[in-house]
Amino acid sequence: MQVEPLKLGSYIINNRLILGTGGAMSHETIAESIVASGTELVTVAIRRIKPTGSGQSLYDMLRELKVQILPNTAGCFTAKEAIVTAELAREALETNVIKLEVIADDRTLLPQPLELIDAAEELVSRGFFVLAYTNDDPIFGRNLQSVGVSAVMPLGAPIGTGLGIRNPHNISLMREIVTVPLVLDAGIGTASDAALAMELGCDAVLAATSITRADSPAVMARAISLAIEGGYLAHRAGRVPKRRLALASTPDEGRADL
Amino acid sequence: MENTTQQFAPETMNIWVNGEPKLISAGTSLDGLLDLLKLPKVGVAAALDAEVVHKRMWTETILAEGQRVEILTISQGG
């Protein structure tokens, strides 16, 4: 069994890891992580331009590596800010795909659902493919889907915490309720968290901090990419039911009478 | 009698670029501003007083005194 391509808006990816570039020590670290993981899609923020001097810009580097660039609206607190940021991203990158983030406060960085859904609806009406970062609320995931988002991206835990998937049951329920692609976004700490996300039925995983701030980012990028593939296959392989008591895997038949 | 603003026919004007004050020649276009600042035009977007200005409009968008220009590009972010 092979990993099938995944369509996210107008993007198609063969590798189910989306690499968030936030927190990386350098552009070189990002490049090494891209190569090591085989990711085909990386997220970026939209910020004021600074003269790059003699160094290569992030834009030029990502283009050279031939990865697809997914802009986000990180740092936006209102629908209005997020909409303008998405328009700026579309202008800068000539893409209609936007990872929509509208957060409630700096302390938790948790999504602000009321502003988020307004922004999602408006951006969809403006022709965007919206990939919406959201809380792990299955019903709200359905609400987002009903306003036309192209993917629902629930958090496993707050951004940057590395706490893993705090409520696997909710992610599992979201998988049952949401029919558009489901991407686990935020909270990944290490490879096993990413494997779990995929085993729960997520279509992809976005990992930033867990990779960019690992001691060896490229090694962690590879580890998480492999875990995602493992989880993808495991989800489709049909796991055994959990049992309370043992079930011998070795048959009794033919056992010596000792 | 000419009023004050006409008396000092403005050859320069003050605008804000990414939050910093900037003195530029009157009549400078948005496109001209990017040239002046030696900024790339690919992978870049601009807003004027919080409104996005499409790239095809940069040349014909003449900046005015006191306007707030934001010039943005991609940066690291999750």
Side-chain angles (χ1 to χ4, degrees):
Chain A
M1 181 184 262
Q2 296 274 316
V3 176
E4 286 179 12
L6 175 67
K7 195 165 185 289
L8 292 170
S10 57
Y11 291 160
I12 294 173
I13 53 173
N14 295 291
N15 182 301
R16 302 294 185 106
L17 169 65
I18 303 168
L19 177 68
T21 57
M25 292 290 284
S26 66
H27 290 179
E28 289 70 30
T29 307
I30 296 169
E32 287 164 14
S33 299
I34 289 170
V35 172
S37 66
T39 184
E40 297 169 3
L41 185 59
V42 300
T43 67
V44 295
I46 302 296
R47 291 289 182 270
R48 287 171 168 170
I49 195 166
K50 291 177 192 159
T52 50
S54 56
Q56 191 182 34
S57 72
L58 181 63
Y59 178 83
D60 289 340
M61 187 195 80
L62 295 177
R63 286 293 182 224
E64 200 172 290
L65 288 166
K66 299 194 189 314
V67 285
Q68 300 171 96
I69 305 175
L70 173 60
N72 65 26
T73 62
C76 291
F77 291 88
T78 64
K80 183 175 170 244
E81 282 178 298
I83 291 163
V84 176
T85 304
E87 291 282 5
L88 287 163
R90 171 150 76 177
E91 189 66 21
L93 294 169
E94 296 172 5
T95 175
N96 284 331
V97 187
I98 188 79
K99 185 197 157 192
L100 178 62
E101 286 184 42
V102 187
I103 53 167
D105 64 54
D106 273 333
R107 187 158 171 267
T108 64
L109 300 179
L110 287 170
Q112 163 50 273
L114 303 178
E115 296 287 327
L116 175 67
I117 200 144
D118 284 351
E121 194 164 15
E122 177 62 23
L123 288 170
V124 169
S125 77
R126 294 186 187 196
F128 282 89
F129 294 106
V130 176
L131 318 183
Y133 169 62
T134 174
N135 289 300
D136 59 352
D137 178 342
I139 303 306
F140 191 65
R142 183 163 63 194
N143 294 147
L144 286 166
Q145 181 170 292
S146 70
V147 302
V149 302
S150 299
V152 173
M153 304 181 72
L155 53 76
I159 292 169
T161 59
L163 288 170
I165 300 174
R166 303 310 298 162
N167 194 339
H169 184 63
N170 267 23
I171 300 298
S172 182
L173 277 175
M174 287 186 97
R175 174 66 296 167
E176 288 172 29
I177 288 172
V178 170
T179 55
V180 295
L182 190 69
V183 181
L184 198 287
D185 182 5
I188 297 291
T190 187
S192 54
D193 299 327
L196 175 60
M198 298 303 285
E199 287 171 9
L200 292 170
C202 290
D203 293 294
V205 170
L206 192 155
T209 303
S210 55
I211 291 173
T212 59
R213 294 203 163 110
D215 288 344
S216 302
V219 177
M220 186 58 88
R222 175 98 176 117
I224 289 179
S225 178
L226 290 169
I228 288 170
E229 188 171 345
Y232 173 95
L233 294 173
H235 180 67
R236 284 152 185 82
R239 61 154 295 149
V240 295
K242 291 182 181 177
R243 295 170 189 276
R244 194 165 155 266
L245 295 174
L247 174 69
S249 56
T250 309
D252 268 349
E253 191 189 334
R255 197 171 66 167
D257 191 9
L258 302 171
Chain B
M1 188 179 164
E2 287 178 343
N3 69 30
T4 316
T5 52
Q6 285 168 329
Q7 214 166 23
F8 301 100
E11 292 174 358
T12 59
M13 60 182 174
N14 288 289
I15 59 166
W16 295 89
V17 181
N18 288 352
E20 300 287 332
K22 185 92 190 160
L23 188 67
I24 60 168
S25 302
T28 302
S29 68
L30 187 51
D31 194 69
L33 178 67
L34 269 85
D35 287 335
L36 190 72
L37 299 173
K38 297 186 172 58
L39 292 174
K41 293 177 189 172
V42 179
V44 172
L48 200 52
D49 292 335
E51 294 285 335
V52 181
V53 182
H54 296 296
K55 228 165 249 184
R56 61 179 181 278
M57 303 297 288
W58 284 3
T59 309
E60 58 193 82
T61 301
I62 307 301
L63 302 172
E65 175 74 29
Q67 281 189 314
R68 290 177 299 120
V69 185
E70 293 282 341
I71 306 168
L72 301 115
T73 188
I74 63 168
S75 74
Q76 289 181 29

